[in-house]
């Protein structure tokens, strides 16, 4: 499974920048305003990042084999 270059770049940007930034923002705002569910949101965020990161890693490994 090799991802197209554009999709790879977008997924990498989402995984390395967007999701961690939004997770941090939510955690800080939750702590400030007491919204609740910060632990749930951060756990789900970590799972999504890990899943996308694994897909990117598999794609990179396949690409490097070729």
């Amino acid at each position: 499974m090799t991802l197209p270059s554009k999709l790879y770049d977008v997924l990498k940007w989402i995984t390395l920048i967007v999701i961690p930034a939004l997770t941090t923002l939510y955690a800080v705002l939750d702590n400030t305003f007491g919204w609740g569910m910060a632990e749930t949101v951060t756990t789900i965020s970590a799972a999504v990042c890990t899943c996308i990161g694994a897909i990117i890693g598999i794609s990179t490994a396949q690409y490097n084999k070729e």
Side-chain angles (χ1 to χ4, degrees):
M1 172 178 87
T2 303
L3 298 172
S5 181
K6 181 76 171 172
L7 178 59
Y8 175 87
D9 291 340
V10 169
L11 286 176
K12 189 172 179 181
W13 178 73
I14 288 171
T15 304
L16 293 175
I17 305 296
V18 176
I19 294 173
L22 291 175
T23 302
T24 302
L25 176 64
Y26 183 84
V28 169
L29 292 175
D30 175 70
N31 187 41
T32 303
F33 296 111
W35 293 341
M37 303 204 36
E39 185 175 332
T40 302
V41 170
T42 56
T43 300
I44 292 170
S45 173
V48 170
C49 267
T50 302
C51 182
I52 296 172
I55 292 168
I56 290 171
I58 291 167
S59 177
T60 301
Q62 290 295 322
Y63 179 80
N64 288 336
K65 279 185 182 178
E66 297 172 2

